[in-house]
Amino acid sequence: MTNAPAETGQTDINSDVLGRIHQMMPTLSRTQQKIATAIISYPRLFVEKPIEELVPWIGVSAPTITRFCRAAGCDGLRDMKLKVMGGMRVGARYLEEPAPPTTFEAMREQAAMRAQNGIVDAMRLPEDLVEKTIDRLLGARVIYAFGSGGVSSWLIEEVQNRLFRLGMKVIPCRDGVMQSMFASTTSRDDVVLCCSLGGNNRAELEAMQIAQEYGAYCIALCPPGTRMQEAADLALPIETHDDGDVLGPTSARYSMLFAIDLISFGAAIRSRTLAAESLRRLKQQFVSHIDPDDRRPLAD
């Protein structure tokens, strides 16, 4: 059932009018494109200026601005400004982001600094929480690694990649429904390890609750002060806020990877005899069948 249209005089400020204007661009006349460009490039100025200042600023007439607002699905200029304000509340960083690097050297330095900052953030993880995490993983019958989203979904593959070679049984899952299904088959000897950059993923939270009902121990790699941290039996607090540069890859990837490497390294040291034999087998087969150079990284 579709929602009924809003009553006259009401406006949905959550409507993505900026996205609609982007979609309209190819079909707009040259005059209309001037208005659209002003709104997209300088949304704050567009909202703040009265119509008397918008006309000379954009270089079009007041009736033309009004017609454009209606063509974009707004009741008029006031309605357009309200919706642009709503868009700025959510995506201001994407609309008025700082100027990006202009040289390769500057881009390279900025990318390296973001990676370093992410690792430095993860180095603040409390030692006792890391040690407890390693204890639980080493004692687990099965480790279920859950993650959803652009980064978390492949981080769980890295959890499996790092831990299986130490002799641990790891089952990664990125599908929300399957996470709940796996959780319903867990027992007291199992560990559910969740990765989340937001810490509020509904599917993972539901899976954790189900797993805990059956006695499984739930560990979360997530930001502090989130629902996932509260729900987990043990949480490693990893800060995932970026520096505001929306064009650059998130440095939180490095924070999470460092945490996973730290856990797996500690687990390897703790179980060095069994881990060394498992790693030896992998290297034996890798050198025999894939790459004879035994100095290459182990099956990475």
Side-chain angles (χ1 to χ4, degrees):
M1 180 181 295
T2 57
N3 296 328
E7 297 178 6
T8 304
Q10 294 181 336
T11 183
D12 179 10
I13 62 173
N14 294 319
S15 174
D16 188 8
V17 69
L18 297 171
R20 192 178 310 132
I21 292 173
H22 272 287
Q23 292 179 332
M24 293 169 57
M25 271 291 198
T27 65
L28 297 178
S29 66
R30 182 174 301 179
T31 301
Q32 291 173 323
Q33 285 183 357
K34 292 175 66 176
I35 303 172
T37 300
I39 295 173
I40 292 172
S41 302
Y42 307 99
R44 198 177 304 277
L45 286 177
F46 176 81
V47 168
E48 293 174 351
K49 288 180 178 292
I51 186 65
E52 295 80 9
E53 295 182 18
L54 285 177
V55 169
W57 180 55
I58 300 176
V60 299
S61 66
T64 301
I65 295 176
T66 301
R67 286 194 297 269
F68 176 85
C69 294
R70 290 174 179 163
C74 301
D75 292 337
L77 179 59
R78 178 179 177 278
D79 188 32
M80 170 69 81
K81 287 187 174 184
L82 287 172
K83 290 179 178 176
V84 170
M85 287 173 61
M88 291 174 61
R89 183 187 63 203
V90 176
R93 292 193 301 146
Y94 298 86
L95 298 169
E96 300 177 348
E97 71 273 6
T102 56
T103 65
F104 176 77
E105 289 76 13
M107 179 180 67
R108 180 174 58 190
E109 180 177 352
Q110 186 167 320
M113 286 300 298
R114 289 170 69 88
Q116 292 171 12
N117 290 339
I119 294 174
V120 169
D121 286 342
M123 288 181 68
R124 300 189 182 100
L125 284 171
E127 178 182 351
D128 62 322
L129 296 183
V130 175
E131 295 290 352
K132 289 178 182 178
T133 298
I134 295 171
D135 285 340
R136 285 287 178 172
L137 294 178
L138 286 174
R141 180 185 68 93
V142 179
I143 300 167
Y144 293 91
F146 294 163
S148 305
V151 173
S152 300
S153 60
W154 62 260
L155 281 173
I156 60 171
E157 304 287 345
E158 185 62 14
V159 170
Q160 181 190 42
N161 188 38
R162 296 266 65 84
L163 297 183
F164 92 89
R165 64 190 64 225
L166 304 180
M168 302 184 196
K169 183 178 181 180
V170 185
I171 300 177
C173 181
R174 66 184 66 182
D175 180 86
V177 175
M178 284 298 296
Q179 288 170 4
S180 291
M181 294 175 68
F182 274 129
S184 67
T185 68
T186 58
S187 67
R188 293 186 180 277
D189 296 327
D190 298 330
V191 168
V192 170
L193 175 63
C194 291
C195 295
S196 175
L197 266 66
N200 297 295
N201 184 277
R202 182 179 302 174
E204 290 181 63
L205 287 167
E206 290 177 354
M208 288 173 62
Q209 182 179 3
I210 294 171
Q212 287 168 330
E213 288 181 13
Y214 293 101
Y217 193 84
C218 293
I219 301 173
L221 274 62
C222 65
T226 58
R227 293 170 61 196
M228 189 168 290
Q229 184 188 38
E230 296 176 1
D233 297 301
L234 173 63
L236 292 180
I238 300 176
E239 185 54 68
T240 59
H241 285 123
D242 274 336
D243 57 9
D245 180 7
V246 301
L247 298 180
T250 174
S251 59
R253 289 155 43 258
Y254 298 99
S255 300
M256 287 286 193
L257 283 172
F258 180 84
I260 293 169
D261 277 357
L262 187 61
I263 292 167
S264 62
F265 192 20
I269 293 172
R270 294 266 203 92
S271 59
R272 61 172 64 91
T273 301
L274 293 176
E277 171 57 17
S278 179
L279 294 169
R280 185 199 64 79
R281 291 186 187 184
L282 286 169
K283 177 57 73 174
Q284 172 69 32
Q285 297 304 318
F286 192 72
V287 171
S288 299
H289 301 287
I290 300 175
D291 188 344
D293 187 351
D294 64 2
R295 296 171 298 173
R296 301 291 185 195
L298 181 58
D300 277 348

